[in-house]
Amino acid sequence: MSIKVVVFDFDGTIADTHDTFVEIVNGLAAEFGYKPVNSEEVEILKNLSSREVIERSKVPPFWIPFLLYRVKREFNKRIDRLEPFADLHSCLASLKERGYTLGIITSNTRENVTTFLKKHQLFDFFDFIYSGTPLFGKHKIIDRLIRQNRFQLSEVIYVGDETRDINAAKKSKVKAIAVGWGFNSPKILAKFQPDYLIHHPRELLEILDSPALPVSG
């Protein structure tokens, strides 16, 4: 069975949100009772799993949804400053030309994602956007996508930059591609054993062109 559907995370995979995210999180530190992070601490966080990052912040679990809501609102104010990662536009264009169905599953808001994609002429590449997903609930959206569209598991591949993206793909029993240009470091991503770990968007095309992975043409 060939790969037909390529699903992307948004923050850290399509949009370079790293510096803006750190700025926002530090700006909300006093309000939510955690310590701002400096550049050295950010490097430490990159080598932790998504759950370990939350545990290290010591933010009470019941505050997490409120914190995420505020982060999304602050992103909305800064969406114009965000840029896509280098060469991503040409990668997406090539995938679309080859007939793949492309989509996004993200915990960010549809408004933020749509505004960003339209600004950078990326919107027309995508066939669907599932937004506002729970922090650790992406697998449920992947499952729904597969069920509603009657995709085979072997037809879908998920691309993300965090350990929780790898876990989501595994829970949904689809292949996972981890990207080394986002939040989590390649070192911690490798520990979670994605099917593929890449460091440049062109490697996505190389994977899908590989004879070892049948793909749609």
Side-chain angles (χ1 to χ4, degrees):
M1 183 64 67
S2 63
I3 294 294
K4 296 180 180 179
V5 185
V6 185
V7 185
F8 293 84
D9 172 50
F10 177 72
D11 296 283
T13 302
I14 294 173
D16 186 356
T17 56
H18 180 274
D19 292 347
T20 301
F21 177 75
V22 172
E23 175 189 314
I24 291 171
V25 168
N26 280 345
L28 296 173
E31 180 178 345
F32 285 90
Y34 57 84
K35 294 182 179 179
V37 293
N38 56 35
S39 57
E40 182 178 326
E41 290 165 330
V42 168
E43 291 304 311
I44 293 174
L45 295 177
K46 286 184 176 183
N47 286 288
L48 300 178
S49 72
S50 301
R51 292 191 182 277
E52 288 172 333
V53 170
I54 291 176
E55 291 170 3
R56 188 181 178 91
S57 73
K58 301 191 183 302
V59 176
F62 62 86
W63 274 112
I64 296 296
F66 299 101
L67 174 58
L68 292 177
Y69 173 74
R70 288 297 308 281
V71 169
K72 293 172 190 177
R73 285 186 59 187
E74 293 302 316
F75 259 123
N76 183 260
K77 299 175 184 177
R78 298 165 171 82
I79 200 73
D80 286 341
R81 73 167 70 165
L82 301 179
E83 295 289 333
F85 286 98
D87 297 327
L88 194 61
H89 188 284
S90 61
C91 174
L92 294 172
S94 294
L95 290 173
K96 202 64 184 172
E97 288 172 1
R98 298 179 193 191
Y100 291 99
T101 296
L102 306 182
I104 292 173
I105 294 179
T106 176
S107 54
N108 212 316
T109 67
R110 177 174 290 272
E111 180 184 5
N112 288 349
V113 173
T114 300
T115 299
F116 175 89
L117 294 177
K118 288 184 175 179
K119 178 186 176 184
H120 296 287
Q121 293 78 51
L122 299 173
F123 183 78
D124 290 340
F125 293 141
F126 292 97
D127 299 278
F128 60 85
I129 300 171
Y130 286 86
S131 62
T133 62
L135 193 61
F136 294 102
K138 288 186 177 181
H139 66 284
K140 296 179 181 178
I141 309 302
I142 298 173
D143 291 345
R144 185 196 307 169
L145 169 71
I146 292 169
R147 184 173 61 253
Q148 290 178 343
N149 293 277
R150 299 183 180 180
F151 293 134
Q152 298 296 316
L153 296 178
S154 57
E155 294 177 330
V156 181
I157 200 161
Y158 188 77
V159 186
D161 71 305
E162 296 184 52
T163 61
R164 62 191 176 106
D165 295 315
I166 300 171
N167 285 337
K170 288 186 174 184
K171 286 181 179 179
S172 294
K173 299 179 180 177
V174 301
K175 289 189 178 296
I177 297 179
V179 305
W181 59 75
F183 179 75
N184 274 141
S185 71
K187 180 179 179 181
I188 186 67
L189 291 171
K191 287 183 179 180
F192 278 71
Q193 299 182 323
D195 295 284
Y196 306 93
L197 176 58
I198 64 176
H199 305 277
H200 191 281
R202 66 171 173 269
E203 293 179 73
L204 178 57
L205 298 174
E206 293 170 2
I207 287 170
L208 295 175
D209 283 341
S210 171
L213 181 66
V215 299
S216 62

